[in-house]
PDB file of all heavy atoms in Angstrom:
ATOM      1  N   ALA U   1       0.690 -39.124 -25.041  1.00  0.00           N
ATOM      2  CA  ALA U   1       1.415 -40.064 -25.797  1.00  0.00           C
ATOM      3  C   ALA U   1       2.449 -40.734 -24.729  1.00  0.00           C
ATOM      4  O   ALA U   1       2.729 -41.961 -24.879  1.00  0.00           O
ATOM      5  CB  ALA U   1       2.307 -39.472 -26.892  1.00  0.00           C
ATOM      6  N   ALA U   2       2.883 -39.931 -23.853  1.00  0.00           N
ATOM      7  CA  ALA U   2       3.820 -40.505 -22.744  1.00  0.00           C
ATOM      8  C   ALA U   2       3.068 -41.266 -21.736  1.00  0.00           C
ATOM      9  O   ALA U   2       3.759 -41.997 -20.948  1.00  0.00           O
ATOM     10  CB  ALA U   2       4.616 -39.347 -22.231  1.00  0.00           C
ATOM     11  N   GLY U   3       1.785 -41.077 -21.688  1.00  0.00           N
ATOM     12  CA  GLY U   3       0.984 -41.797 -20.625  1.00  0.00           C
ATOM     13  C   GLY U   3       1.294 -41.368 -19.245  1.00  0.00           C
ATOM     14  O   GLY U   3       1.059 -42.002 -18.216  1.00  0.00           O
ATOM     15  N   ASP U   4       1.793 -40.067 -19.143  1.00  0.00           N
ATOM     16  CA  ASP U   4       2.146 -39.518 -17.907  1.00  0.00           C
ATOM     17  C   ASP U   4       1.222 -38.308 -17.550  1.00  0.00           C
ATOM     18  O   ASP U   4       1.467 -37.230 -17.977  1.00  0.00           O
ATOM     19  CB  ASP U   4       3.582 -39.045 -17.908  1.00  0.00           C
ATOM     20  CG  ASP U   4       4.102 -38.515 -16.566  1.00  0.00           C
ATOM     21  OD1 ASP U   4       3.400 -38.832 -15.513  1.00  0.00           O
ATOM     22  OD2 ASP U   4       5.144 -37.763 -16.509  1.00  0.00           O
ATOM     23  N   ILE U   5       0.177 -38.629 -16.772  1.00  0.00           N
ATOM     24  CA  ILE U   5      -0.849 -37.564 -16.555  1.00  0.00           C
ATOM     25  C   ILE U   5      -0.975 -37.360 -14.998  1.00  0.00           C
ATOM     26  O   ILE U   5      -0.729 -38.372 -14.257  1.00  0.00           O
ATOM     27  CB  ILE U   5      -2.191 -37.891 -17.242  1.00  0.00           C
ATOM     28  CG1 ILE U   5      -2.746 -39.150 -16.645  1.00  0.00           C
ATOM     29  CG2 ILE U   5      -2.008 -37.987 -18.644  1.00  0.00           C
ATOM     30  CD1 ILE U   5      -4.214 -39.455 -17.206  1.00  0.00           C
ATOM     31  N   PRO U   6      -1.467 -36.204 -14.537  1.00  0.00           N
ATOM     32  CA  PRO U   6      -1.677 -36.011 -13.128  1.00  0.00           C
ATOM     33  C   PRO U   6      -2.931 -36.728 -12.597  1.00  0.00           C
ATOM     34  O   PRO U   6      -3.620 -37.354 -13.462  1.00  0.00           O
ATOM     35  CB  PRO U   6      -1.837 -34.482 -13.032  1.00  0.00           C
ATOM     36  CG  PRO U   6      -2.375 -34.112 -14.413  1.00  0.00           C
ATOM     37  CD  PRO U   6      -1.689 -35.006 -15.399  1.00  0.00           C
ATOM     38  N   ASP U   7      -3.208 -36.701 -11.302  1.00  0.00           N
ATOM     39  CA  ASP U   7      -4.317 -37.386 -10.812  1.00  0.00           C
ATOM     40  C   ASP U   7      -5.623 -36.811 -11.391  1.00  0.00           C
ATOM     41  O   ASP U   7      -6.576 -37.663 -11.608  1.00  0.00           O
ATOM     42  CB  ASP U   7      -4.445 -37.035  -9.246  1.00  0.00           C
ATOM     43  CG  ASP U   7      -3.257 -37.790  -8.441  1.00  0.00           C
ATOM     44  OD1 ASP U   7      -2.985 -38.971  -8.769  1.00  0.00           O
ATOM     45  OD2 ASP U   7      -2.549 -37.096  -7.690  1.00  0.00           O
ATOM     46  N   LEU U   8      -5.717 -35.490 -11.566  1.00  0.00           N
ATOM     47  CA  LEU U   8      -6.944 -34.909 -12.114  1.00  0.00           C
ATOM     48  C   LEU U   8      -6.545 -33.920 -13.312  1.00  0.00           C
ATOM     49  O   LEU U   8      -5.588 -33.242 -13.228  1.00  0.00           O
ATOM     50  CB  LEU U   8      -7.718 -34.183 -11.069  1.00  0.00           C
ATOM     51  CG  LEU U   8      -8.159 -34.910  -9.836  1.00  0.00           C
ATOM     52  CD1 LEU U   8      -8.648 -33.970  -8.765  1.00  0.00           C
ATOM     53  CD2 LEU U   8      -9.265 -35.909 -10.248  1.00  0.00           C
ATOM     54  N   ILE U   9      -7.476 -33.866 -14.176  1.00  0.00           N
ATOM     55  CA  ILE U   9      -7.294 -32.858 -15.298  1.00  0.00           C
ATOM     56  C   ILE U   9      -8.666 -32.087 -15.384  1.00  0.00           C
ATOM     57  O   ILE U   9      -9.707 -32.709 -15.458  1.00  0.00           O
ATOM     58  CB  ILE U   9      -7.009 -33.422 -16.734  1.00  0.00           C
ATOM     59  CG1 ILE U   9      -5.666 -34.257 -16.688  1.00  0.00           C
ATOM     60  CG2 ILE U   9      -7.063 -32.442 -17.813  1.00  0.00           C
ATOM     61  CD1 ILE U   9      -5.194 -34.865 -17.920  1.00  0.00           C
ATOM     62  N   VAL U  10      -8.606 -30.813 -15.359  1.00  0.00           N
ATOM     63  CA  VAL U  10      -9.831 -29.909 -15.289  1.00  0.00           C
ATOM     64  C   VAL U  10      -9.821 -28.972 -16.484  1.00  0.00           C
ATOM     65  O   VAL U  10      -8.791 -28.379 -16.911  1.00  0.00           O
ATOM     66  CB  VAL U  10      -9.784 -29.092 -14.009  1.00  0.00           C
ATOM     67  CG1 VAL U  10     -11.024 -28.134 -13.917  1.00  0.00           C
ATOM     68  CG2 VAL U  10      -9.778 -29.927 -12.777  1.00  0.00           C
ATOM     69  N   GLY U  11     -10.969 -28.854 -17.041  1.00  0.00           N
ATOM     70  CA  GLY U  11     -11.117 -27.946 -18.159  1.00  0.00           C
ATOM     71  C   GLY U  11     -12.277 -28.322 -19.087  1.00  0.00           C
ATOM     72  O   GLY U  11     -12.446 -29.539 -19.238  1.00  0.00           O
ATOM     73  N   PRO U  12     -12.828 -27.447 -19.842  1.00  0.00           N
ATOM     74  CA  PRO U  12     -14.036 -27.767 -20.739  1.00  0.00           C
ATOM     75  C   PRO U  12     -13.457 -28.671 -21.869  1.00  0.00           C
ATOM     76  O   PRO U  12     -12.745 -28.273 -22.678  1.00  0.00           O
ATOM     77  CB  PRO U  12     -14.471 -26.416 -21.262  1.00  0.00           C
ATOM     78  CG  PRO U  12     -13.298 -25.441 -21.030  1.00  0.00           C
ATOM     79  CD  PRO U  12     -12.616 -25.902 -19.818  1.00  0.00           C
ATOM     80  N   ASN U  13     -13.930 -30.000 -21.828  1.00  0.00           N
ATOM     81  CA  ASN U  13     -13.480 -30.870 -22.787  1.00  0.00           C
ATOM     82  C   ASN U  13     -12.029 -31.007 -23.071  1.00  0.00           C
ATOM     83  O   ASN U  13     -11.565 -31.177 -24.101  1.00  0.00           O
ATOM     84  CB  ASN U  13     -14.208 -30.627 -24.158  1.00  0.00           C
ATOM     85  CG  ASN U  13     -14.542 -31.938 -25.060  1.00  0.00           C
ATOM     86  OD1 ASN U  13     -14.694 -33.015 -24.395  1.00  0.00           O
ATOM     87  ND2 ASN U  13     -14.853 -31.826 -26.252  1.00  0.00           N
ATOM     88  N   ALA U  14     -11.243 -30.817 -21.990  1.00  0.00           N
ATOM     89  CA  ALA U  14      -9.859 -30.734 -21.964  1.00  0.00           C
ATOM     90  C   ALA U  14      -9.315 -32.129 -22.493  1.00  0.00           C
ATOM     91  O   ALA U  14      -8.383 -32.249 -23.286  1.00  0.00           O
ATOM     92  CB  ALA U  14      -9.394 -30.555 -20.568  1.00  0.00           C
ATOM     93  N   ILE U  15      -9.989 -33.193 -22.120  1.00  0.00           N
ATOM     94  CA  ILE U  15      -9.822 -34.481 -22.757  1.00  0.00           C
ATOM     95  C   ILE U  15     -11.130 -34.870 -23.435  1.00  0.00           C
ATOM     96  O   ILE U  15     -12.190 -34.965 -22.835  1.00  0.00           O
ATOM     97  CB  ILE U  15      -9.389 -35.575 -21.613  1.00  0.00           C
ATOM     98  CG1 ILE U  15      -8.238 -35.052 -20.891  1.00  0.00           C
ATOM     99  CG2 ILE U  15      -9.202 -36.859 -22.321  1.00  0.00           C
ATOM    100  CD1 ILE U  15      -6.954 -34.903 -21.611  1.00  0.00           C
ATOM    101  N   THR U  16     -11.095 -35.177 -24.701  1.00  0.00           N
ATOM    102  CA  THR U  16     -12.275 -35.460 -25.418  1.00  0.00           C
ATOM    103  C   THR U  16     -12.705 -36.900 -25.427  1.00  0.00           C
ATOM    104  O   THR U  16     -11.803 -37.797 -25.048  1.00  0.00           O
ATOM    105  CB  THR U  16     -12.053 -35.005 -26.825  1.00  0.00           C
ATOM    106  OG1 THR U  16     -11.108 -35.921 -27.525  1.00  0.00           O
ATOM    107  CG2 THR U  16     -11.600 -33.643 -26.964  1.00  0.00           C
ATOM    108  N   ASP U  17     -13.877 -37.270 -25.818  1.00  0.00           N
ATOM    109  CA  ASP U  17     -14.378 -38.642 -25.967  1.00  0.00           C
ATOM    110  C   ASP U  17     -13.434 -39.457 -26.925  1.00  0.00           C
ATOM    111  O   ASP U  17     -13.142 -40.507 -26.639  1.00  0.00           O
ATOM    112  CB  ASP U  17     -15.762 -38.663 -26.421  1.00  0.00           C
ATOM    113  CG  ASP U  17     -16.790 -38.315 -25.406  1.00  0.00           C
ATOM    114  OD1 ASP U  17     -16.447 -38.196 -24.245  1.00  0.00           O
ATOM    115  OD2 ASP U  17     -17.957 -38.147 -25.762  1.00  0.00           O
ATOM    116  N   ALA U  18     -13.025 -38.772 -27.935  1.00  0.00           N
ATOM    117  CA  ALA U  18     -12.115 -39.406 -28.932  1.00  0.00           C
ATOM    118  C   ALA U  18     -10.830 -39.820 -28.262  1.00  0.00           C
ATOM    119  O   ALA U  18     -10.152 -40.860 -28.562  1.00  0.00           O
ATOM    120  CB  ALA U  18     -11.807 -38.467 -30.123  1.00  0.00           C
ATOM    121  N   GLU U  19     -10.257 -38.996 -27.343  1.00  0.00           N
ATOM    122  CA  GLU U  19      -9.059 -39.346 -26.703  1.00  0.00           C
ATOM    123  C   GLU U  19      -9.234 -40.429 -25.608  1.00  0.00           C
ATOM    124  O   GLU U  19      -8.262 -41.140 -25.316  1.00  0.00           O
ATOM    125  CB  GLU U  19      -8.447 -37.996 -26.063  1.00  0.00           C
ATOM    126  CG  GLU U  19      -7.935 -37.144 -27.138  1.00  0.00           C
ATOM    127  CD  GLU U  19      -7.789 -35.631 -26.754  1.00  0.00           C
ATOM    128  OE1 GLU U  19      -8.386 -35.215 -25.763  1.00  0.00           O
ATOM    129  OE2 GLU U  19      -6.980 -34.910 -27.373  1.00  0.00           O
ATOM    130  N   PHE U  20     -10.428 -40.414 -24.991  1.00  0.00           N
ATOM    131  CA  PHE U  20     -10.617 -41.578 -24.102  1.00  0.00           C
ATOM    132  C   PHE U  20     -10.516 -42.870 -24.877  1.00  0.00           C
ATOM    133  O   PHE U  20      -9.999 -43.860 -24.326  1.00  0.00           O
ATOM    134  CB  PHE U  20     -12.076 -41.465 -23.465  1.00  0.00           C
ATOM    135  CG  PHE U  20     -12.182 -40.358 -22.498  1.00  0.00           C
ATOM    136  CD1 PHE U  20     -13.413 -39.644 -22.440  1.00  0.00           C
ATOM    137  CD2 PHE U  20     -11.225 -39.970 -21.519  1.00  0.00           C
ATOM    138  CE1 PHE U  20     -13.619 -38.654 -21.585  1.00  0.00           C
ATOM    139  CE2 PHE U  20     -11.389 -38.992 -20.708  1.00  0.00           C
ATOM    140  CZ  PHE U  20     -12.619 -38.252 -20.672  1.00  0.00           C
ATOM    141  N   ALA U  21     -11.101 -42.868 -26.049  1.00  0.00           N
ATOM    142  CA  ALA U  21     -10.946 -44.002 -27.005  1.00  0.00           C
ATOM    143  C   ALA U  21      -9.613 -44.369 -27.357  1.00  0.00           C
ATOM    144  O   ALA U  21      -9.120 -45.514 -27.316  1.00  0.00           O
ATOM    145  CB  ALA U  21     -11.935 -43.899 -28.101  1.00  0.00           C
ATOM    146  N   LYS U  22      -8.872 -43.230 -27.800  1.00  0.00           N
ATOM    147  CA  LYS U  22      -7.505 -43.499 -28.373  1.00  0.00           C
ATOM    148  C   LYS U  22      -6.553 -43.920 -27.236  1.00  0.00           C
ATOM    149  O   LYS U  22      -5.690 -44.755 -27.496  1.00  0.00           O
ATOM    150  CB  LYS U  22      -7.076 -42.207 -29.045  1.00  0.00           C
ATOM    151  CG  LYS U  22      -5.580 -42.292 -29.691  1.00  0.00           C
ATOM    152  CD  LYS U  22      -5.307 -40.976 -30.336  1.00  0.00           C
ATOM    153  CE  LYS U  22      -4.016 -41.042 -31.062  1.00  0.00           C
ATOM    154  NZ  LYS U  22      -3.575 -39.809 -31.725  1.00  0.00           N
ATOM    155  N   PHE U  23      -6.682 -43.381 -26.081  1.00  0.00           N
ATOM    156  CA  PHE U  23      -5.754 -43.675 -25.032  1.00  0.00           C
ATOM    157  C   PHE U  23      -6.486 -44.590 -23.982  1.00  0.00           C
ATOM    158  O   PHE U  23      -6.659 -44.174 -22.817  1.00  0.00           O
ATOM    159  CB  PHE U  23      -5.191 -42.378 -24.463  1.00  0.00           C
ATOM    160  CG  PHE U  23      -4.372 -41.646 -25.348  1.00  0.00           C
ATOM    161  CD1 PHE U  23      -5.044 -40.542 -26.037  1.00  0.00           C
ATOM    162  CD2 PHE U  23      -3.070 -41.895 -25.671  1.00  0.00           C
ATOM    163  CE1 PHE U  23      -4.232 -39.781 -27.018  1.00  0.00           C
ATOM    164  CE2 PHE U  23      -2.352 -41.109 -26.533  1.00  0.00           C
ATOM    165  CZ  PHE U  23      -3.036 -40.074 -27.262  1.00  0.00           C
ATOM    166  N   ASN U  24      -6.933 -45.718 -24.537  1.00  0.00           N
ATOM    167  CA  ASN U  24      -7.781 -46.508 -23.709  1.00  0.00           C
ATOM    168  C   ASN U  24      -6.922 -47.050 -22.437  1.00  0.00           C
ATOM    169  O   ASN U  24      -5.805 -47.557 -22.619  1.00  0.00           O
ATOM    170  CB  ASN U  24      -8.182 -47.774 -24.430  1.00  0.00           C
ATOM    171  CG  ASN U  24      -9.128 -48.720 -23.731  1.00  0.00           C
ATOM    172  OD1 ASN U  24      -9.868 -48.296 -22.901  1.00  0.00           O
ATOM    173  ND2 ASN U  24      -8.994 -49.987 -24.182  1.00  0.00           N
ATOM    174  N   GLY U  25      -7.617 -46.939 -21.235  1.00  0.00           N
ATOM    175  CA  GLY U  25      -6.960 -47.445 -20.023  1.00  0.00           C
ATOM    176  C   GLY U  25      -6.204 -46.302 -19.272  1.00  0.00           C
ATOM    177  O   GLY U  25      -5.730 -46.539 -18.177  1.00  0.00           O
ATOM    178  N   LEU U  26      -6.049 -45.151 -19.875  1.00  0.00           N
ATOM    179  CA  LEU U  26      -5.281 -44.043 -19.190  1.00  0.00           C
ATOM    180  C   LEU U  26      -6.165 -43.346 -18.133  1.00  0.00           C
ATOM    181  O   LEU U  26      -5.654 -42.790 -17.239  1.00  0.00           O
ATOM    182  CB  LEU U  26      -4.766 -43.040 -20.264  1.00  0.00           C
ATOM    183  CG  LEU U  26      -3.638 -42.133 -19.832  1.00  0.00           C
ATOM    184  CD1 LEU U  26      -2.408 -42.872 -19.258  1.00  0.00           C
ATOM    185  CD2 LEU U  26      -3.242 -41.200 -21.021  1.00  0.00           C
ATOM    186  N   PHE U  27      -7.480 -43.359 -18.378  1.00  0.00           N
ATOM    187  CA  PHE U  27      -8.420 -42.630 -17.498  1.00  0.00           C
ATOM    188  C   PHE U  27      -9.277 -43.627 -16.761  1.00  0.00           C
ATOM    189  O   PHE U  27      -9.728 -44.627 -17.221  1.00  0.00           O
ATOM    190  CB  PHE U  27      -9.174 -41.663 -18.364  1.00  0.00           C
ATOM    191  CG  PHE U  27      -8.295 -40.574 -18.907  1.00  0.00           C
ATOM    192  CD1 PHE U  27      -7.880 -40.698 -20.177  1.00  0.00           C
ATOM    193  CD2 PHE U  27      -8.075 -39.488 -18.168  1.00  0.00           C
ATOM    194  CE1 PHE U  27      -7.031 -39.698 -20.756  1.00  0.00           C
ATOM    195  CE2 PHE U  27      -7.174 -38.416 -18.755  1.00  0.00           C
ATOM    196  CZ  PHE U  27      -6.701 -38.639 -20.067  1.00  0.00           C
ATOM    197  N   GLU U  28      -9.732 -43.192 -15.477  1.00  0.00           N
ATOM    198  CA  GLU U  28     -10.422 -43.951 -14.615  1.00  0.00           C
ATOM    199  C   GLU U  28     -11.860 -43.991 -14.947  1.00  0.00           C
ATOM    200  O   GLU U  28     -12.440 -42.849 -15.196  1.00  0.00           O
ATOM    201  CB  GLU U  28     -10.111 -43.589 -13.128  1.00  0.00           C
ATOM    202  CG  GLU U  28     -10.918 -44.349 -12.155  1.00  0.00           C
ATOM    203  CD  GLU U  28     -10.302 -45.726 -11.860  1.00  0.00           C
ATOM    204  OE1 GLU U  28      -9.130 -45.985 -12.456  1.00  0.00           O
ATOM    205  OE2 GLU U  28     -10.878 -46.552 -11.090  1.00  0.00           O
ATOM    206  N   ASP U  29     -12.560 -45.159 -14.965  1.00  0.00           N
ATOM    207  CA  ASP U  29     -14.001 -45.116 -14.961  1.00  0.00           C
ATOM    208  C   ASP U  29     -14.534 -44.793 -13.586  1.00  0.00           C
ATOM    209  O   ASP U  29     -14.275 -45.495 -12.663  1.00  0.00           O
ATOM    210  CB  ASP U  29     -14.453 -46.564 -15.340  1.00  0.00           C
ATOM    211  CG  ASP U  29     -16.005 -46.668 -15.400  1.00  0.00           C
ATOM    212  OD1 ASP U  29     -16.700 -45.657 -15.159  1.00  0.00           O
ATOM    213  OD2 ASP U  29     -16.476 -47.816 -15.566  1.00  0.00           O
ATOM    214  N   LEU U  30     -15.111 -43.682 -13.553  1.00  0.00           N
ATOM    215  CA  LEU U  30     -15.619 -43.083 -12.255  1.00  0.00           C
ATOM    216  C   LEU U  30     -16.813 -43.662 -11.590  1.00  0.00           C
ATOM    217  O   LEU U  30     -17.180 -43.336 -10.464  1.00  0.00           O
ATOM    218  CB  LEU U  30     -15.787 -41.566 -12.273  1.00  0.00           C
ATOM    219  CG  LEU U  30     -14.550 -40.740 -12.869  1.00  0.00           C
ATOM    220  CD1 LEU U  30     -14.962 -39.248 -13.061  1.00  0.00           C
ATOM    221  CD2 LEU U  30     -13.424 -40.856 -11.940  1.00  0.00           C
ATOM    222  N   THR U  31     -17.433 -44.514 -12.350  1.00  0.00           N
ATOM    223  CA  THR U  31     -18.751 -45.071 -11.845  1.00  0.00           C
ATOM    224  C   THR U  31     -18.786 -45.706 -10.399  1.00  0.00           C
ATOM    225  O   THR U  31     -19.537 -45.160  -9.626  1.00  0.00           O
ATOM    226  CB  THR U  31     -19.289 -46.177 -12.799  1.00  0.00           C
ATOM    227  OG1 THR U  31     -19.289 -45.621 -14.230  1.00  0.00           O
ATOM    228  CG2 THR U  31     -20.739 -46.566 -12.535  1.00  0.00           C
ATOM    229  N   PRO U  32     -17.941 -46.564 -10.045  1.00  0.00           N
ATOM    230  CA  PRO U  32     -17.925 -47.101  -8.685  1.00  0.00           C
ATOM    231  C   PRO U  32     -17.590 -46.046  -7.733  1.00  0.00           C
ATOM    232  O   PRO U  32     -18.043 -46.065  -6.583  1.00  0.00           O
ATOM    233  CB  PRO U  32     -16.959 -48.277  -8.701  1.00  0.00           C
ATOM    234  CG  PRO U  32     -16.082 -48.076  -9.910  1.00  0.00           C
ATOM    235  CD  PRO U  32     -16.866 -47.302 -10.929  1.00  0.00           C
ATOM    236  N   LEU U  33     -16.622 -45.185  -8.011  1.00  0.00           N
ATOM    237  CA  LEU U  33     -16.118 -44.119  -7.094  1.00  0.00           C
ATOM    238  C   LEU U  33     -17.338 -43.172  -6.792  1.00  0.00           C
ATOM    239  O   LEU U  33     -17.455 -42.653  -5.653  1.00  0.00           O
ATOM    240  CB  LEU U  33     -14.975 -43.406  -7.680  1.00  0.00           C
ATOM    241  CG  LEU U  33     -13.700 -44.195  -7.619  1.00  0.00           C
ATOM    242  CD1 LEU U  33     -12.570 -43.479  -8.515  1.00  0.00           C
ATOM    243  CD2 LEU U  33     -13.162 -44.376  -6.246  1.00  0.00           C
ATOM    244  N   ILE U  34     -18.071 -42.804  -7.822  1.00  0.00           N
ATOM    245  CA  ILE U  34     -19.274 -41.948  -7.675  1.00  0.00           C
ATOM    246  C   ILE U  34     -20.299 -42.634  -6.642  1.00  0.00           C
ATOM    247  O   ILE U  34     -20.726 -41.921  -5.731  1.00  0.00           O
ATOM    248  CB  ILE U  34     -20.022 -41.727  -8.959  1.00  0.00           C
ATOM    249  CG1 ILE U  34     -19.081 -40.837  -9.928  1.00  0.00           C
ATOM    250  CG2 ILE U  34     -21.331 -40.995  -8.784  1.00  0.00           C
ATOM    251  CD1 ILE U  34     -19.562 -40.657 -11.333  1.00  0.00           C
ATOM    252  N   GLU U  35     -20.486 -43.915  -6.876  1.00  0.00           N
ATOM    253  CA  GLU U  35     -21.435 -44.590  -6.008  1.00  0.00           C
ATOM    254  C   GLU U  35     -21.003 -44.630  -4.538  1.00  0.00           C
ATOM    255  O   GLU U  35     -21.810 -44.574  -3.582  1.00  0.00           O
ATOM    256  CB  GLU U  35     -21.619 -46.024  -6.494  1.00  0.00           C
ATOM    257  CG  GLU U  35     -22.359 -46.087  -7.839  1.00  0.00           C
ATOM    258  CD  GLU U  35     -22.425 -47.499  -8.417  1.00  0.00           C
ATOM    259  OE1 GLU U  35     -21.818 -48.385  -7.761  1.00  0.00           O
ATOM    260  OE2 GLU U  35     -22.890 -47.666  -9.478  1.00  0.00           O
ATOM    261  N   GLU U  36     -19.740 -44.654  -4.271  1.00  0.00           N
ATOM    262  CA  GLU U  36     -19.171 -44.799  -2.954  1.00  0.00           C
ATOM    263  C   GLU U  36     -18.766 -43.463  -2.232  1.00  0.00           C
ATOM    264  O   GLU U  36     -18.853 -43.337  -0.971  1.00  0.00           O
ATOM    265  CB  GLU U  36     -17.905 -45.690  -3.018  1.00  0.00           C
ATOM    266  CG  GLU U  36     -18.238 -47.169  -3.387  1.00  0.00           C
ATOM    267  CD  GLU U  36     -16.996 -48.049  -3.457  1.00  0.00           C
ATOM    268  OE1 GLU U  36     -15.983 -47.675  -2.829  1.00  0.00           O
ATOM    269  OE2 GLU U  36     -17.043 -49.010  -4.198  1.00  0.00           O
ATOM    270  N   HIS U  37     -18.324 -42.464  -3.118  1.00  0.00           N
ATOM    271  CA  HIS U  37     -17.692 -41.402  -2.434  1.00  0.00           C
ATOM    272  C   HIS U  37     -18.271 -39.943  -3.013  1.00  0.00           C
ATOM    273  O   HIS U  37     -17.630 -38.916  -2.685  1.00  0.00           O
ATOM    274  CB  HIS U  37     -16.184 -41.438  -2.682  1.00  0.00           C
ATOM    275  CG  HIS U  37     -15.517 -42.629  -2.115  1.00  0.00           C
ATOM    276  ND1 HIS U  37     -15.431 -42.911  -0.839  1.00  0.00           N
ATOM    277  CD2 HIS U  37     -15.020 -43.731  -2.871  1.00  0.00           C
ATOM    278  CE1 HIS U  37     -14.872 -43.985  -0.655  1.00  0.00           C
ATOM    279  NE2 HIS U  37     -14.565 -44.494  -1.898  1.00  0.00           N
ATOM    280  N   ALA U  38     -19.256 -39.922  -3.740  1.00  0.00           N
ATOM    281  CA  ALA U  38     -19.701 -38.687  -4.386  1.00  0.00           C
ATOM    282  C   ALA U  38     -21.216 -38.463  -4.357  1.00  0.00           C
ATOM    283  O   ALA U  38     -21.886 -38.497  -5.351  1.00  0.00           O
ATOM    284  CB  ALA U  38     -19.241 -38.618  -5.797  1.00  0.00           C
ATOM    285  N   PRO U  39     -21.868 -38.267  -3.184  1.00  0.00           N
ATOM    286  CA  PRO U  39     -23.227 -38.084  -3.069  1.00  0.00           C
ATOM    287  C   PRO U  39     -23.680 -36.875  -3.857  1.00  0.00           C
ATOM    288  O   PRO U  39     -24.814 -36.828  -4.363  1.00  0.00           O
ATOM    289  CB  PRO U  39     -23.493 -37.840  -1.539  1.00  0.00           C
ATOM    290  CG  PRO U  39     -22.089 -37.564  -0.975  1.00  0.00           C
ATOM    291  CD  PRO U  39     -21.046 -38.239  -1.915  1.00  0.00           C
ATOM    292  N   ASN U  40     -22.855 -35.781  -3.930  1.00  0.00           N
ATOM    293  CA  ASN U  40     -23.297 -34.619  -4.704  1.00  0.00           C
ATOM    294  C   ASN U  40     -23.443 -34.967  -6.180  1.00  0.00           C
ATOM    295  O   ASN U  40     -24.375 -34.415  -6.863  1.00  0.00           O
ATOM    296  CB  ASN U  40     -22.288 -33.468  -4.516  1.00  0.00           C
ATOM    297  CG  ASN U  40     -22.268 -32.902  -3.085  1.00  0.00           C
ATOM    298  OD1 ASN U  40     -23.339 -32.947  -2.396  1.00  0.00           O
ATOM    299  ND2 ASN U  40     -21.160 -32.386  -2.616  1.00  0.00           N
ATOM    300  N   VAL U  41     -22.577 -35.705  -6.690  1.00  0.00           N
ATOM    301  CA  VAL U  41     -22.685 -36.134  -8.159  1.00  0.00           C
ATOM    302  C   VAL U  41     -23.838 -36.974  -8.373  1.00  0.00           C
ATOM    303  O   VAL U  41     -24.618 -36.830  -9.341  1.00  0.00           O
ATOM    304  CB  VAL U  41     -21.367 -36.871  -8.564  1.00  0.00           C
ATOM    305  CG1 VAL U  41     -21.509 -37.442  -9.955  1.00  0.00           C
ATOM    306  CG2 VAL U  41     -20.138 -36.011  -8.413  1.00  0.00           C
ATOM    307  N   GLN U  42     -24.109 -37.946  -7.370  1.00  0.00           N
ATOM    308  CA  GLN U  42     -25.391 -38.748  -7.433  1.00  0.00           C
ATOM    309  C   GLN U  42     -26.563 -37.852  -7.410  1.00  0.00           C
ATOM    310  O   GLN U  42     -27.438 -38.109  -8.267  1.00  0.00           O
ATOM    311  CB  GLN U  42     -25.368 -39.740  -6.205  1.00  0.00           C
ATOM    312  CG  GLN U  42     -24.294 -40.832  -6.273  1.00  0.00           C
ATOM    313  CD  GLN U  42     -24.405 -41.628  -5.081  1.00  0.00           C
ATOM    314  OE1 GLN U  42     -25.397 -42.269  -4.820  1.00  0.00           O
ATOM    315  NE2 GLN U  42     -23.242 -41.705  -4.323  1.00  0.00           N
ATOM    316  N   THR U  43     -26.664 -36.898  -6.526  1.00  0.00           N
ATOM    317  CA  THR U  43     -27.884 -36.023  -6.480  1.00  0.00           C
ATOM    318  C   THR U  43     -28.020 -35.199  -7.926  1.00  0.00           C
ATOM    319  O   THR U  43     -29.075 -35.146  -8.421  1.00  0.00           O
ATOM    320  CB  THR U  43     -27.630 -35.042  -5.420  1.00  0.00           C
ATOM    321  OG1 THR U  43     -27.670 -35.656  -4.132  1.00  0.00           O
ATOM    322  CG2 THR U  43     -28.806 -34.061  -5.337  1.00  0.00           C
ATOM    323  N   MET U  44     -26.871 -34.763  -8.411  1.00  0.00           N
ATOM    324  CA  MET U  44     -26.929 -34.120  -9.729  1.00  0.00           C
ATOM    325  C   MET U  44     -27.481 -35.018 -10.806  1.00  0.00           C
ATOM    326  O   MET U  44     -28.429 -34.596 -11.514  1.00  0.00           O
ATOM    327  CB  MET U  44     -25.491 -33.681 -10.116  1.00  0.00           C
ATOM    328  CG  MET U  44     -25.449 -33.103 -11.542  1.00  0.00           C
ATOM    329  SD  MET U  44     -23.755 -32.496 -11.992  1.00  0.00           S
ATOM    330  CE  MET U  44     -22.830 -34.198 -12.115  1.00  0.00           C
TER     331      MET U  44
END
């Protein structure tokens, strides 16, 4: 609600799809970052 979150949040469904929708813009779309900086994620 305060919009004050750390760089990363870790945990099983710690942030849900519903919360991504409700707090639109608070979380980063990782797609371009995966393509540029995450070969392990791409392999997965």
Side-chain angles (χ1 to χ4, degrees):
D4 183 17
I5 63 174
D7 293 311
L8 298 170
I9 296 177
V10 178
N13 214 21
I15 305 296
T16 66
D17 286 351
E19 287 161 341
F20 290 143
K22 183 176 181 180
F23 299 95
N24 186 30
L26 195 55
F27 295 92
E28 182 73 7
D29 179 3
L30 301 176
T31 307
L33 289 167
I34 291 170
E35 294 173 356
E36 295 178 22
H37 304 290
N40 291 330
V41 177
Q42 293 178 56
T43 298
M44 173 179 70

